Amino acid sequence: LSGPKTHIVNMLSNTSIIGLSTIERGLAAHVFSGKEGVEVGEAMAQFHGLRQSTREAFRNAALTWKTGQTGFGVNKIEGPRARSISSGAFNIDPDSWFGWGVDALGAAVNVPGKALQTSDEWFKTIGYRFELNALAFRQSARIGGNDAAKKSNMADVLATPPETLKLGAASEAAYRTFTSTPSETTRAFLHWRNNTKLGRSIGKYVAPFVNTPANIFKFALERTPLAPITAAYQSAIAKGGPEAAMARS
């Protein structure tokens, strides 16, 4: 985490996924959607969301850097992670010179991880608004009426989005930043690594990071000819509608 390459790769990959997501959305609308599928115009709505959310993304990223909290961009605030190196972790008086030194060392060691959290917060905010705009456009397009009525309805939806739209946008934001909740397979591996003697002795050194690499592998696999064997693809096809169109795209 301390190497600049990690942070550069993280930012470039998240940036490229923004472009990829727009291409997939347009393809789904024009090629794979039938009735009640992805609406033509959702990709353009995503771009509007991208443009509108940039300032908010910087503000949320700054809050994450300052407080250690995450989730400002998706309305699900999570507290800062407990530091392994701190006066509290070692039961040292934080007001003593030694406690102050330990806390300072912990803060320095934590800088690379803090920088990664800050970057992720920026892209999660973008991803959330990106998807929320597309979903609001879809909902407004299906109500009908002239363009002015649709535009007005979309503005109302974005001002007070329904919980279902917020959850869908937050889920997509996590998916595109590779921070989705672990799958059953990943949870099983984490349980072995954290709760068995062998896992604790070698697992944390062989595989210190598990969920993010697993999500990257899953994301990539779903964009190969092997996609139909994945549970996510099969579930989307079974649901039909926009989910199926996006999976096929």
Side-chain angles (χ1 to χ4, degrees):
L1 288 180
S2 60
K5 180 180 177 181
T6 300
H7 299 273
I8 293 170
V9 168
N10 183 59
M11 288 187 288
L12 290 177
S13 65
N14 280 303
T15 300
S16 66
I17 286 171
I18 291 173
L20 176 64
S21 299
T22 304
I23 294 170
E24 290 178 346
R25 180 82 58 164
L27 191 62
H30 289 280
V31 179
F32 295 107
S33 285
K35 188 178 181 181
E36 298 297 314
V38 175
E39 298 289 335
V40 174
E42 287 186 28
M44 187 58 67
Q46 286 181 317
F47 269 119
H48 283 296
L50 173 64
R51 180 173 55 83
Q52 294 164 358
S53 63
T54 303
R55 183 178 297 179
E56 180 186 6
F58 279 113
R59 183 174 65 250
N60 291 340
L63 284 170
T64 292
W65 178 264
K66 181 179 179 180
T67 66
Q69 295 177 310
T70 59
F72 296 103
V74 295
N75 301 312
K76 186 181 178 183
I77 310 300
E78 296 182 8
R81 296 177 182 177
R83 293 179 183 171
S84 298
I85 302 175
S86 68
S87 57
F90 294 105
N91 294 317
I92 303 170
D93 180 5
D95 296 323
S96 66
W97 67 267
F98 187 55
W100 181 89
V102 171
D103 285 336
L105 176 62
V109 170
N110 194 52
V111 166
K114 192 176 180 181
L116 203 60
Q117 280 186 309
T118 300
S119 175
D120 280 346
E121 186 67 19
W122 195 93
F123 282 104
K124 279 184 180 178
T125 302
I126 294 291
Y128 177 77
R129 294 297 172 186
F130 199 67
E131 183 66 16
L132 188 64
N133 263 46
L135 296 177
F137 179 90
R138 181 187 300 167
Q139 181 170 309
S140 301
R142 291 178 180 174
I143 291 176
N146 57 32
D147 289 343
K150 292 178 182 178
K151 186 176 181 180
S152 175
N153 183 265
M154 182 176 173
D156 291 340
V157 172
L158 289 173
T160 54
E163 194 66 23
T164 52
L165 264 63
K166 292 197 297 186
L167 290 173
S171 177
E172 279 298 308
Y175 175 67
R176 290 175 185 149
T177 53
F178 312 123
T179 54
S180 299
T181 54
S183 64
E184 289 185 12
T185 303
T186 304
R187 286 198 299 270
F189 180 83
L190 287 170
H191 179 80
W192 170 82
R193 193 193 70 174
N194 297 331
N195 298 285
T196 66
K197 186 176 181 180
L198 181 62
R200 287 193 298 269
S201 61
I202 67 169
K204 291 187 177 181
Y205 299 98
V206 175
F209 305 104
V210 177
N211 194 44
T212 297
N215 284 332
I216 292 171
F217 178 79
K218 178 184 175 184
F219 186 94
L221 185 64
E222 289 169 0
R223 285 155 181 80
T224 71
L226 296 177
I229 71 172
T230 65
Y233 181 91
Q234 293 171 6
S235 174
I237 296 300
K239 287 179 182 178
E243 289 85 356
M246 287 298 298
R248 292 189 173 103
S249 177

